[in-house]
Structure formats: structure tokens, C-alpha cells
Amino acid sequence: MGWIPVGVPAVSVLLASPPLLHAGGGEPLLSWVLLTAAGVTTVLFGLSLVVTYRRRSRRYLLVSATLAALLSRSIVGLATLRGLLSPGSHHFLEHGLDALIAILLLAAVYDSTTTTGAERRPNT
């Protein structure tokens, strides 16, 4: 076994214990922040669906999908705080949603920079 300095917990202890704010104890401030984030993101997601329906464009669909993934992050956080998800599942889902958000956002930016002649509009 390797040498561990006095006062430093073993790696297995660090990996086994969840971070303080994710302890599932029902942190009131964290609950409020997650509920507020979920509410604001729900409104933005709803508005993006309206715009996507009106514009019927792939880039707006990508933005709506990005906002749906962002809303999912808040839901995962709330589910973890309520004890419905284990810390491992929370960690996996959060990082997976982070990657999905990045990919969708980059796809929306790429789609907006590669337009065909029929889609180009003058700047207004």
C-alpha cells in the first residue's frame, strides 16, 4: 500500500463521499436555486418551441434541443437532491448532459454559419 500523509483521507473515502451540496439533506438554498433555474429554463424552452414552430428551421430546433437538455440538468439536480438519484447516476447524467449541450450548441452555430443561397437574408 502507498504512503498517505497524516490528515489526508484515502482516495476511496474521497470517491465514496458525495460533495457537501449534493448530500441529499435537502439544502434549502440549493433547492431554491434549482427550482428557479428549472422555472426560467422551462419558460425559455417553451418560447423556443414557439419560435421553432414558426420558423421551421433546423438551427431553431437545435437551440430548442439545447434548452431541453439544460432543463434536464435542473431536473437531474432536483432528483438527486430529493434522493431519487444516486451520486454516481447524478455524476454520469450531469456530464452526459454537459456534453450533449456542447454538441447541440456547436451544431447550431455551425448550422447558422453554413447557409445556402436560398436561406440568406440581408441584415436588418
Side-chain angles (χ1 to χ4, degrees):
M1 198 80 171
W3 177 78
I4 299 176
V6 176
V8 177
V11 173
S12 61
V13 173
L14 290 175
L15 295 176
S17 59
L20 182 60
L21 290 177
H22 295 79
E27 302 278 338
L29 180 61
L30 185 58
S31 292
W32 182 83
V33 169
L34 287 171
L35 284 170
T36 303
V40 170
T41 310
T42 300
V43 170
L44 289 173
F45 177 57
L47 292 172
S48 75
L49 288 177
V50 171
V51 172
T52 300
Y53 177 76
R54 289 182 178 176
R55 297 287 180 141
R56 298 185 190 270
S57 170
R58 182 176 45 206
R59 73 184 69 140
Y60 290 101
L61 181 62
L62 289 167
V63 170
S64 292
T66 303
L67 288 169
L70 192 61
L71 176 60
S72 298
R73 288 189 86 242
S74 296
I75 293 170
V76 166
L78 285 167
T80 304
L81 197 62
R82 302 287 181 237
L84 300 174
L85 284 175
S86 69
S89 297
H90 165 82
H91 190 80
F92 177 76
L93 288 171
E94 288 284 329
H95 284 295
L97 288 168
D98 287 342
L100 180 63
I101 289 168
I103 290 167
L104 289 170
L105 187 60
L106 289 173
V109 169
Y110 178 78
D111 189 59
S112 69
T113 60
T114 57
T115 57
T116 63
E119 293 178 339
R120 288 193 183 129
R121 286 195 239 161
N123 292 334
T124 55

